[in-house]
Amino acid sequence: DDGTGAPTGLGRHLGVNRRVLVVAEVALAIVLLAGSGLATRSLINLLSVDAGFDPSGVVTLRVNVPQGTVALDSMPGFYEAIRARVAAVPGVHDVALGDCPPVAGGCNGTIMTFADRPPSPTGNAIVGVHWVTPNWFGTMRVPLRAGRLPDVTDGAGTPRVIVINEAAARKYFPGEDPLGKRVAVYQGGFDKGATIVGVVGDVRFGTIDSTAQPDAYISYGQSSPRRAMLFVRTVNDPAAAVPSVRAALKEVAPKLPVFDVQTMDARVAAATGQARLSATLLALFAVLALALAVMGIYGVMSFAVAQRTREIGIRVAMGADSGCVVRLFTREGLVQSGAGVAIGLVGAFALTRVMRGLLYGVAPDDLATFVAIIGVVMVATGLATWIPARRAARLDPVEALR
């Protein structure tokens, strides 16, 4: 130093390099904390989405019937025999069949036309088509909003009936009652016409973060495709009931392949898996970056105190109290943090724009998230600054001047 305790030459150069490094670390922490904060809020929003059904206590088993094993006209009875036998398994509360599980994607879709309307000049009405047994809605806790559900009296020789969801009612029957309307659904033999008898709540069959699409439900009693999935609601752990359910299926159809066995909770978890992974990784990197920034500021301020020991002694000897010394070093540390925050915000806004497609229910420039991360960084770095500043204020001026 120059005799006053002020760093010169190499010491000053090292000090500048350390300060630049601290500013960079704080900026990186801001960027990663912004991404982590938005990803976490997006995940929370996804987990709170009402998918339209209750997944708890339900396990699903795919039981597609191979061609040639059961005659087509015998399929309704075959499916009912499977359903009834599995329902008798101890611990099973209810059993239904459907062709496509919710939140899995890849379900069927087709055109729907309306008997009382001319063809639409703007394009055909599109609906998802789902085959279900009449008790599927009760098993999956899907609410009935209007009309009735298909029942056992709606068989192969009776007039065709369908149930639509609220999204279909809103889109294709705005301002009118869809019940009793005649429509044609171009799958399952319903292209000759069917009557809408009920409206049920929306179920998300696609990705969990997508809006509910118009859907139509066809009863297995009136149309029985060879693809089917058992939805088994149990009293206790649904996974534990799988061996008993498999055994019951073998009694009815020993050669029936059973595969794609998953609980509905697992399917919902898989639907949010990408969001969970993104939030977890960003959180880990953000915590690491913040820790580096805090350690960096602490190291720089400790180095500054060591380099300016004689200056501190002179200031105290000249009448400066401990508060003045603390403010001197704290101000210096907060200036570095503030510079890092300013630079980091620019990078954070750029990053969050790229993340727009990964976010659900939160804007990439969400003010609350940015205010929170700035507060976290300033408090953490302020504490890292205050500790060495407080230590400097406690120096004995006589010892310091020596």
Side-chain angles (χ1 to χ4, degrees), residues 23 26-27 30 335-349 374 378:
V23 169
V26 172
I30 286 287
V335 166
Q336 295 173 51
S337 299
V341 167
I343 296 171
L345 285 175
V346 175
F349 278 115
I374 291 172
M378 293 306 292

Side-chain angles (χ1 to χ4, degrees), residues 182-389:
R182 293 285 297 173
V183 297
V185 178
Y186 287 78
Q187 277 195 21
F190 280 58
D191 54 315
K192 298 296 189 291
T195 302
I196 299 174
V197 297
V199 178
V200 297
D202 292 331
V203 175
R204 296 179 191 244
F205 284 94
T207 59
I208 200 166
D209 58 342
S210 62
T211 57
Q213 299 299 309
D215 287 320
Y217 294 89
I218 294 174
S219 172
Y220 271 104
Q222 293 191 317
S223 173
S224 297
R226 295 188 179 277
R227 60 184 180 277
M229 174 170 278
L230 281 171
F231 293 79
V232 183
R233 182 173 290 278
T234 63
V235 177
N236 299 309
D237 178 16
V242 170
S244 299
V245 172
R246 285 182 178 274
L249 287 170
K250 283 188 176 298
E251 294 179 15
V252 178
K255 297 183 179 180
L256 184 68
V258 179
F259 57 101
D260 192 15
V261 180
Q262 291 187 63
T263 65
M264 280 308 306
D265 281 331
R267 292 186 183 277
V268 172
T272 59
Q274 182 62 48
R276 290 175 187 271
L277 179 62
S278 298
T280 301
L281 288 178
L282 281 171
L284 290 174
F285 287 129
V287 169
L288 178 60
L290 181 60
L292 289 174
V294 168
M295 288 188 292
I297 284 200
Y298 178 82
V300 166
M301 296 314 299
S302 296
F303 177 77
V305 169
Q307 288 289 305
R308 300 168 66 179
T309 299
R310 188 173 300 173
E311 176 192 346
I312 296 168
I314 293 172
R315 287 177 180 273
V316 175
M318 295 295 291
D321 60 16
S322 61
C324 292
V325 177
V326 170
R327 285 192 295 272
L328 172 67
F329 287 97
T330 301
R331 184 166 52 248
E332 182 178 334
L334 290 180
V335 166
Q336 295 173 51
S337 299
V341 167
I343 296 171
L345 285 175
V346 175
F349 278 115
L351 170 68
T352 54
R353 291 297 183 279
V354 176
M355 291 179 60
R356 184 185 294 272
L358 301 175
L359 301 178
Y360 178 78
V362 60
D365 55 355
D366 182 66
L367 181 61
T369 300
F370 280 90
V371 169
I373 64 170
I374 291 172
V376 168
V377 170
M378 293 306 292
V379 168
T381 56
L383 183 60
T385 299
W386 179 83
I387 293 173

Side-chain angles (χ1 to χ4, degrees), residues 115-132:
D116 59 350
R117 304 178 199 173
S120 173
T122 59
N124 295 311
I126 304 297
V127 294
V129 181
H130 308 283
W131 280 260
V132 296

Side-chain angles (χ1 to χ4, degrees), residues 134-173:
N135 67 326
W136 185 87
F137 304 96
T139 300
M140 297 300 290
R141 309 289 190 261
V142 178
L144 176 66
R145 301 301 190 193
R148 70 173 180 87
L149 299 174
D151 57 36
V152 293
T153 64
D154 297 311
T158 60
R160 306 275 185 167
V161 299
I162 66 168
V163 169
I164 62 173
N165 68 343
E166 290 179 295
R170 287 191 300 268
K171 185 171 184 177
Y172 299 132
F173 301 95

Side-chain angles (χ1 to χ4, degrees), residues 63-138:
V63 290
N64 292 355
V65 181
Q67 192 78 24
T69 56
V70 179
L72 194 59
D73 57 357
S74 301
M75 292 292 289
F78 178 71
Y79 283 138
E80 176 54 28
I82 288 176
R83 194 205 65 78
R85 178 62 190 90
V86 174
V89 172
V92 170
H93 182 272
D94 203 358
V95 182
L97 279 84
D99 73 314
C100 188
V103 301
C107 299
N108 282 301
T110 190
I111 297 169
M112 183 168 71
T113 57
F114 310 91
D116 59 350
R117 304 178 199 173
S120 173
T122 59
N124 295 311
I126 304 297
V127 294
V129 181
H130 308 283
W131 280 260
V132 296
T133 52
N135 67 326
W136 185 87
F137 304 96

